[in-house]
Amino acid sequence: MARTCVGIVGAGPAGLVLAHLLADHGVECVVLEQKSRAYVEKRVRAGLLEHRTVALLDERGLAERLRAEGQVHRGVELRFAGERHRIPYTELYGGREMVVYAQQELVADLIGLWLARGGELAFEAEDVSLHGIDGERPELRWRAAGRDERLACEFVAGCDGYHGVSRGAVPDGVLRVHELALPFAWVGVLAAVAPSTEEIIYAHHADGFAGHMLRSAAVSRFYLQTTPDDPIERWPDGRIWEELARRLATRDGWKLREGPVLEKNVTDMRSFVVEPMQFGRLFLAGDAAHIVPPTGAKGLNLAVADARVLADALAARVRRNDPAPLEAYSATCLRRVWRVQEFSSWMTWLIHRLPAELPDRELRERLQRAQLEYLFASRAAMASFAENYVGIEGF
Ligand code: RFL
């Protein structure tokens, strides 16, 4: 049977960054991925990278294309009642910048660099299962090209996202699951059109939130608030452009550019955390352990942050026989996870139209408006927003 030190399930941002950082520490690992390489390199998701995410990738030589093609951002625009309000987060938070670079491009870079350094990665690994995670000798089993495969490991990293198998390998009753489905959903649209803005826009509108995100000079990403389980068939392209133009409109006559829709889907929103992010020799990282509502654009950044903590902790255990960082892995990550949950949840409730059935809706709308007005009027409030949006140090 094949052997390695760390068996990594999932080649998303968490699994791939973990693999690179472990290799930097001289710790052997193998990555198993259920999908094909072509599929994961095309999967459209996040696009906004925090300052420290970029700094880590840079430091490890993983950011060459990101640096060449990503766009540096220093502020964000919030629209309310037809007015624009810019939050200059770089100026408000010690010069820290963000970078827009599509998640699938980052994943493609990480895969290319991993294979180039001789790293092991099995694509199209079917029916992955975890065994013996509560003992000294865990094992991964899967099927590839019709054959049964087995890998003996010392540790397993569950980096297989929210729908993966790793979390389910933990016996019932061990993990405390915190889960809240939010009464909001987004129609996510990818369009072949140049952006109509230089900075990301979040618009609060009586008909619902609208977002204009950025991807590249020729492709833009948009979001429209809808209700959970709203079928995408109810969103023909004409309706999407109409709603975007109305919800993003400003008094100064800003114009939205339209173009062919490349992809569209409806995404529900949830807050989800499992505690602890560990059982025996299994360590969960990224979406496998937590989901934040997408408003704050934090999911990918949290996944990379977990990978960094886990790589350092595994290296301490394997290279120096120091178990302390690994024992503290879950607590170290959860402190940041809950900070980001709180910010993402706050921002979600701030920027969306409140659901009609919400008790005390009118009162809550007044409170929401008061919060928005405070945010636009107070430099202290903006600075608080800025440090959370950019990624607050110390968490
Ligand atoms: P990923 O990226 O889901 O990667 C998990 C990998 O594991 C594989 N896998 C398996 N492999 C082997 N065996 C199994 N049984 C497996 N089951 C799954 C999967 O194929 C995949 O390759 O998790 P990771 O690495 O933790 O990274 C997390 C981020 O991907 C995620 O937080 C963000 O994309 C969330 N997210 C967004 N985050 C942002 O920061 N900003 C955004 O604008 C943003 N938009 C989004 C998003 C997530 C979306 N989803 C999940 C549909 C928009 C969407 C639509």
Side-chain angles (χ1 to χ4, degrees), residues 247-259:
R247 297 185 195 183
L248 289 166
T250 60
R251 288 186 208 285
D252 60 8
W254 176 87
K255 284 270 175 296
L256 175 70
R257 287 196 190 102
E258 297 183 11

Side-chain angles (χ1 to χ4, degrees), residues 335-349:
R335 187 164 173 274
R336 177 189 300 109
V337 168
W338 283 113
R339 168 90 300 279
V340 172
Q341 280 291 2
E342 192 281 328
F343 172 69
S344 301
S345 163
W346 171 83
M347 191 175 167
T348 299
W349 283 95

Side-chain angles (χ1 to χ4, degrees), residues 41-295:
E41 291 187 353
K42 289 272 172 295
R43 188 167 42 195
V44 176
R45 285 186 174 176
L48 188 60
L49 306 182
E50 286 181 1
H51 171 267
R52 62 184 155 195
T53 302
V54 176
L56 173 71
L57 296 170
D58 234 349
E59 182 191 303
R60 303 307 174 100
L62 302 170
E64 202 178 312
R65 197 161 71 95
L66 182 161
R67 277 297 188 200
E69 296 177 20
Q71 309 149 42
V72 171
H73 281 250
R74 301 185 177 90
V76 62
E77 190 176 313
L78 270 59
R79 293 186 176 178
F80 177 59
E83 302 292 339
R84 305 151 174 256
H85 303 270
R86 179 171 190 263
I87 302 188
Y89 50 70
T90 297
E91 185 190 317
L92 290 164
Y93 197 40
R96 293 174 186 84
E97 299 168 335
M98 299 182 94
V99 172
V100 167
Y101 188 62
Q103 177 168 333
Q104 71 273 20
E105 302 299 337
L106 178 63
V107 164
D109 294 350
L110 293 170
I111 290 172
L113 292 165
W114 179 243
L115 298 176
R117 73 195 283 184
E120 282 194 64
L121 202 178
F123 288 105
E124 298 177 63
E126 294 166 30
D127 303 328
V128 173
S129 57
L130 288 68
H131 304 266
I133 52 173
D134 52 348
E136 301 273 293
R137 293 252 157 265
E139 197 185 307
L140 294 175
R141 295 182 196 156
W142 71 100
R143 282 185 71 73
R147 282 185 34 202
D148 290 324
E149 305 280 353
R150 295 168 75 168
L151 178 69
C153 320
E154 288 173 46
F155 302 94
V156 175
C159 303
D160 47 352
Y162 181 68
H163 299 287
V165 290
S166 300
R167 198 175 60 245
V170 177
D172 287 349
V174 171
L175 301 179
R176 185 159 175 80
V177 180
H178 305 274
E179 187 157 22
L180 182 68
L182 295 169
F184 312 112
W186 281 359
V187 178
V189 179
L190 192 73
V193 62
S196 307
T197 176
E198 286 182 1
E199 294 186 334
I200 286 174
I201 303 170
Y202 293 87
H204 180 289
H205 189 275
D207 294 338
F209 162 77
H212 185 335
M213 313 290 155
L214 298 158
R215 284 298 181 264
S216 69
V219 175
S220 302
R221 181 93 164 134
F222 301 94
Y223 294 112
L224 284 162
Q225 179 182 354
T226 184
T227 46
D229 307 318
D230 188 17
I232 193 66
E233 292 69 36
R234 288 192 55 243
W235 291 89
D237 298 357
R239 179 177 177 208
I240 286 173
W241 293 114
E242 215 174 276
E243 295 269 351
L244 282 170
R246 191 171 61 250
R247 297 185 195 183
L248 289 166
T250 60
R251 288 186 208 285
D252 60 8
W254 176 87
K255 284 270 175 296
L256 175 70
R257 287 196 190 102
E258 297 183 11
V261 170
L262 301 172
E263 243 185 83
K264 56 183 172 182
N265 49 36
V266 174
T267 315
D268 293 349
M269 283 191 202
R270 68 187 64 250
S271 289
F272 168 83
V273 182
V274 294
E275 292 182 319
M277 291 166 54
Q278 185 238 336
F279 171 71
R281 287 184 170 230
L282 168 67
F283 295 85
L284 300 171
D287 280 13
H290 42 72
I291 298 283
V292 289
T295 322

